[in-house]
Structure formats: structure tokens, C-alpha cells
Amino acid sequence: MNLSFKVAASGMSPFLKVFGSLCWLLAASPLLVESDTYRYASALLAFIALFYYLKEPARPRTNWLGWLCIGWGSYVLLRFAFIYFTTSQHDLGGSDWLYAFPLFFPILGVAFALYESEMEKIIAVFFATALMMLAVTISLDAGEIASGVAVRPLIMHNQIHGAVACGLIAIAATFWLLHYIKQQDSSRQFARFAYVVAPLVLLLCLIAIYGAKSKGVWLAMVITLPILGLITLRYIKLRAGALAIGCAGILLVAGIYLVRDNLAQTAGPTLQAAVSMVHGVFGGNQVGHTVAQTIGSGATPVAMDERLQLWSNGWEVFSSAPIFGWGNEWLDRWHEARYTGVPYTLLHNGYLEILVRFGLFGAFVMAIILASLIFSVCKAYRQGVIPRAAMHTYLVCIFFFALTLLSNSNNRLALGESLSLVSSAFACWCNMRLTRAGTRLNAHAPLTVNAGS
């Protein structure tokens, strides 16, 4: 971090330190409680950062990544305003202006710099809160989970949102624990706390994900867990790591075997319909024809049938304006699509959400921003700015979340928006650190990554 930001942080009043730390916890709170509180907390952090940034005599210059984030956010807002004022019905779209969040990424990176020294405490408090909330909500739903009834983990609007949040928490808790296992010179007080809390959080998250009965999250976890296991082997001795992962795998397989009937009942019909659809495509039928047949089939589960209708409509709208999308006019086109009877405008696919609004151009720009943020985090690790666990938390959470977007529009949910703001603040902080000569941290420093990122 810029040395003067360190001076500013050290001179910050105790009240502002506590207040800002609370704001960071609230910025990540949609992982525990689904509400819009994170927006106000992020705005307050941005104001605090802007105050210190503007009074800084040698403020760091904004590089091309910062300008790209600001430029994209401005483009989204200006396009939204133009369509709103030039259409007779003042088209609002659906959550369209939220795609302007990159406008705030750079200044939130400054906010992360100001509270860098408090992050280890913030993370510990986050996981302590997560443990309490998981324990309470799962104990209340224990009977339903045991009987195979879908439950809502934590305090969420539905079980899918809760399952996604538990997946992110489980990944972050794993690397939080591995950080302290690997770095023997880190704080022993925080290490002992993580040794107790992290395994319990991980176990409760897996139980909650099973209880939520979200097939999309199940699939994402099935793909992510082996990757998580392989990365874990890099933190601990090969023999001990292989033994620990083997035991965990045996327990997981045993648990799956015990609930196999419920798993088959929940996912079986969807799997059969999906396999049948794939066979139809590879059998020479056109994709559109096969999808229409699957939608019209009485054997297709209702949830899958509705998703296929939504995806078909979304692809139809995107195909009519593939380069720049429809902006906030997309809802007008949506109501003219083939399957008008489907009662949702949430497309249940995060990538289609982007394509129908901003087309291939928007998807390309957002992909460039994400790739640059990922590059900054990886380079920050290679140069000793952040510990390895911070990088892996960021990468694996992004990977898992990207998988969940295949079957749900989680980027339009509070937890998705919170994840984008918090993780990008961390990545922009990494980028800012890399552009300042002579400001490296020791790689064995306390873990400075937000718990939800």
C-alpha cells in the first residue's frame, strides 16, 4: 500500500477503525443474511476511501485497469439514462444499473488499503458469526434435513441462494485454515481459533448444501471439491495430506451412500432428462428442436422445464441484438419471445443475463476486467504481496461461483453483487500495490483477504 495510506490508517480514530471494520463485515453479509445492507456499507467505505484519497498529497495514479472499470461503469449508466429518457415508457429493464458496479472497484481498493491491518480480525469475526448462524439454522432444520425435505440455510430468500453462500463460505474457510497450518510464524492466537472454527464451518456448510437440495450447487461442488483437494496437498505434507483427503473422501462417499435414495429422488429425473436431451443433440437433431421437445415432454421436471424456457427466451433475445444487446429495453423484447407463459424475468443463467443486456461487446469488456483482476491477484502472490491462501481463496471462489452461474442468475443476487464488490476491492488493492515500487509485503504476513471473496 502507498506509505501515506499506511500513515493515514495508523492515524485513523478508533471509532472510524471499528466503524469501517463493521462496514467490511456488512459488505460481505449477504453470504449470511440476504439483504441490501451491503450496498450501504460499500457506499460508506467508498466515501471514507474517497475522503482520504482526495486529501492525499501524493495520491497513487489510476492505471489502465482502474480507468477501464470507471469507463465501463460510466458506459452502463449513460446507456441506461439514454434509453430511459428516449423511450416513451421509460424502460428500466431489470437490475440493469447494477452492472455499473465496476465504477466503484478502484475506490474500494483504496478502502481495502486503509483497513488492511484490520483484515485478519475482520475475517475471524466473519467466520465466528458464520459458525453461530450455521449452527443455529441447521439445528432448527435438522429434522427436515434428515427426512430429505429441502431447507433454507442461513437467512436467505430461498434454498438455492443459501447453498451458493455455503459453498463460498466452505471454500474460504478451507483456505483460512490452510493458511495457518502452513504459516507457522503467523499469529498463534488466530491460528488456534481457525483450527477450531474452520473445520466446524466446513462440515456445517456441506450439511447445509445437501439440505438445500440445489442440483446446480451440487454439480458445482462436485467439480470444485477435487480441485480443492488437489490444492490442499500443496499446503501440507504429501503423505499426511493424502491421508487426510482420503479420510475426508471416504466420509463424503459414505454420507452420499447413506442418502443415495434422496439424492436419486431429487436429481434423478433432471439427470435423465438432461441425458436424453444430449443424446438427441448428438443423434443429429438440431439443438433448438431438441430443447423444444424436452420442454414439451411431460417427463421433464418442472424446474428444468422452466429453466429451458427461460434459456430459450434469453437466447432468442440475445440473438436479435448479439453485438451490443438491448440495454434496459430487453424486457420489452422478452415479452415477445416464444415462451411467454414462463412467469419469471430472472433468466437463471448469469451469462445470458449479461448477453441480453450488453451483448458480446459487454461480455468481452467484463471478461477483460475479470481477467485483469485475476492476473493482479496472481502476480501479487508471486511478488510476495499476499499469502498463497489469499490467492487460492479468490481463484477457487470465483471458479465455484462461475459454475453456479450456469443454472442460476446469482450475479443478480445480493450475494453475487457483494462478491463482486468485495473480491474486486481486494484485487484492485493488489493491483494498486503492484504499481507502487518498493511496497512489497512479506508473503508470510497475516491473511489479508476478505472472508467472502
Side-chain angles (χ1 to χ4, degrees), residues 373-449:
L373 294 173
I374 290 173
F375 176 80
S376 296
V377 172
C378 293
K379 189 175 180 181
Y381 162 66
R382 290 195 300 270
Q383 295 193 6
V385 173
I386 60 173
R388 180 168 53 174
M391 176 188 69
H392 282 146
T393 302
Y394 180 86
L395 294 179
V396 179
C397 281
I398 294 296
F399 175 76
F400 167 77
F401 190 75
L403 291 175
T404 69
L405 293 182
L406 294 170
S407 60
N408 221 14
S409 299
N410 297 317
N411 49 344
R412 278 184 61 182
L413 304 180
L415 67 91
E417 295 164 11
S418 168
L419 177 65
S420 72
L421 289 169
V422 174
S423 65
S424 298
F426 166 68
C428 283
W429 170 78
C430 289
N431 181 267
M432 183 172 67
R433 288 294 307 274
L434 293 170
T435 59
R436 305 296 293 180
T439 56
R440 294 184 183 180
L441 286 178
N442 190 296
H444 304 303
L447 182 62
T448 53
V449 57

Side-chain angles (χ1 to χ4, degrees), residues 178-411:
L178 290 173
H179 170 75
Y180 288 112
I181 291 176
K182 182 66 175 179
Q183 307 299 347
Q184 297 299 321
D185 58 345
S186 59
S187 168
R188 290 300 88 195
Q189 181 181 3
F190 283 105
R192 286 191 292 269
F193 183 72
Y195 294 158
V196 174
V197 173
L200 293 174
V201 168
L202 179 58
L203 176 62
L204 291 176
C205 282
L206 293 176
I207 294 173
I209 290 171
Y210 163 71
K213 302 293 186 293
S214 170
K215 297 178 285 294
V217 178
W218 284 357
L219 178 60
M221 287 302 295
V222 165
I223 298 172
T224 304
L225 283 176
I227 296 173
L228 197 60
L230 290 173
I231 295 175
T232 298
L233 290 175
R234 302 182 62 184
Y235 282 80
I236 49 185
K237 293 179 180 179
L238 182 61
R239 183 176 298 178
L243 180 62
I245 292 173
C247 291
I250 291 171
L251 290 174
L252 184 61
V253 170
I256 292 173
Y257 179 79
L258 290 174
V259 297
R260 62 191 184 282
D261 292 337
N262 186 256
L263 291 176
Q265 181 181 358
T266 303
T270 300
L271 181 61
Q272 291 175 0
V275 169
S276 176
M277 189 168 62
V278 170
H279 282 166
V281 172
F282 283 99
N285 295 329
Q286 292 184 348
V287 175
H289 177 69
T290 303
V291 170
Q293 278 189 325
T294 306
I295 292 172
S297 172
T300 305
V302 174
M304 180 178 178
D305 184 275
E306 290 180 339
R307 274 177 169 76
L308 289 174
Q309 292 183 56
L310 291 168
W311 298 344
S312 177
N313 284 354
W315 186 259
E316 182 181 337
V317 174
F318 159 66
S319 299
S320 62
I323 305 302
F324 294 104
W326 288 101
N328 34 315
E329 290 182 285
W330 73 273
L331 274 180
D332 290 338
R333 303 291 173 174
W334 177 263
H335 295 304
E336 298 173 3
R338 178 174 181 178
Y339 298 103
T340 56
V342 65
Y344 311 110
T345 56
L346 194 71
L347 275 60
H348 285 71
N349 182 291
Y351 305 104
L352 279 176
E353 296 280 0
I354 297 169
L355 290 172
V356 299
R357 290 169 173 80
F358 304 109
L360 293 173
F361 169 75
F364 175 76
V365 174
M366 296 179 76
I368 291 295
I369 292 174
L370 178 59
S372 302
L373 294 173
I374 290 173
F375 176 80
S376 296
V377 172
C378 293
K379 189 175 180 181
Y381 162 66
R382 290 195 300 270
Q383 295 193 6
V385 173
I386 60 173
R388 180 168 53 174
M391 176 188 69
H392 282 146
T393 302
Y394 180 86
L395 294 179
V396 179
C397 281
I398 294 296
F399 175 76
F400 167 77
F401 190 75
L403 291 175
T404 69
L405 293 182
L406 294 170
S407 60
N408 221 14
S409 299
N410 297 317
N411 49 344

Side-chain angles (χ1 to χ4, degrees), residues 48-177:
I48 293 171
L50 187 61
F51 171 77
Y52 280 99
Y53 182 81
L54 292 177
K55 68 181 290 190
E56 168 57 43
R59 63 181 71 112
R61 296 180 64 181
T62 303
N63 65 3
W64 72 269
L65 176 57
W67 286 119
L68 180 60
C69 291
I70 294 170
W72 170 256
S74 301
Y75 166 77
V76 172
L77 292 177
L78 289 172
R79 187 181 184 189
F80 180 91
F82 176 80
I83 294 175
Y84 177 81
F85 288 113
T86 57
T87 52
S88 58
Q89 62 273 29
H90 298 303
D91 288 319
L92 290 171
S95 302
D96 291 28
W97 64 273
L98 299 178
Y99 291 89
F101 274 1
L103 189 67
F104 300 97
F105 291 173
I107 195 63
L108 286 175
V110 175
F112 196 101
L114 289 171
Y115 288 94
E116 173 191 342
S117 62
E118 306 300 315
M119 282 298 165
E120 190 170 28
K121 300 173 189 175
I122 293 170
I123 292 169
V125 172
F126 175 87
F127 281 117
T129 306
L131 176 60
M132 289 187 291
M133 293 188 63
L134 284 165
V136 170
T137 56
I138 290 176
S139 63
L140 292 174
D141 295 329
E144 287 82 356
I145 294 174
S147 61
V149 177
V151 300
R152 284 187 294 175
L154 304 168
I155 303 176
M156 298 289 172
H157 294 162
N158 66 44
Q159 64 266 29
I160 299 175
H161 304 179
V164 174
C166 286
L168 292 170
I169 294 170
I171 293 167
T174 300
F175 289 115
W176 182 51
L177 175 62

Side-chain angles (χ1 to χ4, degrees), residues 12 15-30 36-49 108 111-112 115 118-119 122 125-126 418 421-422 425 450:
M12 191 180 291
F15 169 79
L16 198 54
K17 275 192 175 183
V18 173
F19 179 76
S21 298
L22 177 62
C23 284
W24 277 113
L25 285 168
L26 293 176
S29 65
D36 291 336
T37 305
Y38 74 95
R39 294 181 185 174
Y40 310 114
S42 298
L44 288 171
L45 286 169
F47 279 125
I48 293 171
L108 286 175
F112 196 101
Y115 288 94
E118 306 300 315
M119 282 298 165
I122 293 170
V125 172
F126 175 87
S418 168
L421 289 169
V422 174
N450 185 277

